[in-house]
Amino acid sequence: MPAELQSTSQGQTLILTLRNPERRNAIDPVMYAAGVEALGVAESSPDIRSVVITGADGMFCSGGNLQRLLANRQEAPQVQAQSIEGLHNWIETIRTYPKPVIAAVEGAAAGAGFSLALACDFIVAARNAVFVMAYSNVALSPDGGASWSLAHALPRQIATEILMCGDRISAERLHTLGLVNRLAEAGNALDAALALAEQLNARAPNALASIKELLNEAPHAQLTHHLGHERDHFVKNLHHANGGAGISAFLEKRVPRYE
């Protein structure tokens, strides 16, 4: 079977499934492009309020295809650079996507697979899942935003350990470190991720989009500048129809319905 990114939906959640059975769901440029396209279509659909990225057959993603990387050594460096640009386009699309994106991890998330999970807003992992930044194990440095994500989320010493040592890290440890949001029993990561998605789907999409945008800006913004952005988002959301619906429902002790 060829490598592919399968797109299905459950309720208001888009499910993107990495499928590459011969290479443990390794990802490639065709899948990067498919991911960007799927998110682009879903962004404009009011029927989709969240996205879950998972892997087929109990395995999240083994990262890049080492055979393809070895072949690219015989090509001009620009060939590999263009491939990485495709991956980075997908990563950036996920990071800036206005709807919540959840990684549902079973088995292993290695190399670029780990980077992909880190790009998501939430990580739900099976208790027996493992994560590994495998780059240094084959004399490579990270891609997919791994160094950025880890440097922003963890103390320098821990981020350095994860990237330089290339050891397998348990989902339990990453949960303790704050990188994994929720743990699930083996085989139940997707169900747990979909339950989280349903919780998010019930909230106002415009408010969640504002939260994600503010969180993306915060690490680089001075407080005065960021306070201005918080003010602008708050006022915009207050005057959105969902703002009225949410406040009225709370005061009337009923469940709100958001557009």
Side-chain angles (χ1 to χ4, degrees), residues 39-47 97 99:
L39 291 177
V41 171
E43 182 175 353
S44 60
S45 172
D47 297 327
Y97 194 65
K99 303 177 183 183

Side-chain angles (χ1 to χ4, degrees), residues 70-171:
L70 196 61
N72 282 352
R73 281 177 43 82
Q74 310 306 314
E75 305 290 341
Q78 187 60 27
V79 171
Q80 185 59 39
Q82 289 175 348
S83 175
I84 292 176
E85 284 297 324
L87 171 61
H88 288 178
N89 187 27
W90 191 17
I91 295 295
E92 191 169 8
T93 299
I94 293 169
R95 292 287 306 192
T96 60
Y97 194 65
K99 303 177 183 183
V101 183
I102 305 166
V105 180
E106 296 276 358
F114 194 172
S115 301
L116 178 62
L118 289 171
C120 297
D121 301 305
F122 300 86
I123 299 177
V124 176
R127 290 184 181 276
N128 63 348
V130 294
F131 297 77
V132 56
M133 280 296 171
Y135 300 94
S136 68
N137 296 338
V138 290
L140 296 175
S141 54
D143 62 3
S147 56
W148 187 95
S149 295
L150 293 175
H152 278 76
L154 298 173
R156 179 179 175 84
Q157 287 76 8
I158 296 176
T160 302
E161 174 195 343
I162 291 173
L163 287 168
M164 287 192 178
C165 295
D167 293 331
R168 292 160 65 93
I169 306 164
S170 69

Side-chain angles (χ1 to χ4, degrees), residues 15 20 49-50 71 84 99 116 137 145 180-181 193 207 225 252-253:
I15 304 172
N20 187 353
R49 294 198 174 185
S50 61
I84 292 176
K99 303 177 183 183
L116 178 62
N137 296 338
V180 167
N181 296 86
H225 179 78
E252 297 167 11
K253 295 181 171 55

Side-chain angles (χ1 to χ4, degrees), residues 2-252:
E4 62 177 339
L5 184 71
Q6 293 184 329
S7 178
T8 58
S9 63
Q10 180 170 315
Q12 294 177 303
T13 302
L14 173 69
I15 304 172
L16 299 178
T17 303
L18 310 170
R19 184 176 294 278
N20 187 353
E22 294 183 359
R23 302 200 179 273
R24 302 170 70 233
N25 297 336
I27 49 180
D28 62 20
V30 172
M31 297 168 80
Y32 311 154
V36 172
E37 180 180 2
L39 291 177
V41 171
E43 182 175 353
S44 60
S45 172
D47 297 327
I48 296 298
R49 294 198 174 185
S50 61
V51 178
V52 170
I53 300 177
T54 192
D57 303 324
M59 172 73 181
F60 185 69
C61 177
S62 63
N65 182 340
L66 291 182
Q67 294 293 338
R68 182 170 59 83
L69 293 180
L70 196 61
N72 282 352
R73 281 177 43 82
Q74 310 306 314
E75 305 290 341
Q78 187 60 27
V79 171
Q80 185 59 39
Q82 289 175 348
S83 175
I84 292 176
E85 284 297 324
L87 171 61
H88 288 178
N89 187 27
W90 191 17
I91 295 295
E92 191 169 8
T93 299
I94 293 169
R95 292 287 306 192
T96 60
Y97 194 65
K99 303 177 183 183
V101 183
I102 305 166
V105 180
E106 296 276 358
F114 194 172
S115 301
L116 178 62
L118 289 171
C120 297
D121 301 305
F122 300 86
I123 299 177
V124 176
R127 290 184 181 276
N128 63 348
V130 294
F131 297 77
V132 56
M133 280 296 171
Y135 300 94
S136 68
N137 296 338
V138 290
L140 296 175
S141 54
D143 62 3
S147 56
W148 187 95
S149 295
L150 293 175
H152 278 76
L154 298 173
R156 179 179 175 84
Q157 287 76 8
I158 296 176
T160 302
E161 174 195 343
I162 291 173
L163 287 168
M164 287 192 178
C165 295
D167 293 331
R168 292 160 65 93
I169 306 164
S170 69
E172 298 271 4
R173 185 184 181 200
L174 290 189
H175 184 254
T176 300
L177 291 171
L179 286 179
V180 167
N181 296 86
R182 298 186 182 180
L183 295 169
E185 296 306 316
N188 292 331
L190 179 57
D191 288 342
L194 289 170
L196 173 58
E198 281 298 306
Q199 177 184 348
L200 296 166
N201 293 345
R203 297 183 177 272
N206 55 294
L208 298 187
S210 286
I211 291 168
K212 184 163 180 176
E213 185 175 332
L214 288 166
L215 286 172
N216 282 339
E217 293 175 350
H220 317 287
Q222 293 188 351
L223 178 59
T224 300
H225 179 78
H226 195 69
L227 288 173
H229 276 207
E230 282 194 339
R231 175 201 62 219
D232 294 345
H233 279 278
F234 187 99
V235 171
K236 179 181 69 174
N237 289 316
L238 175 64
H239 288 274
H240 192 285
N242 285 336
I247 294 171
S248 296
F250 183 84
L251 294 175
E252 297 167 11

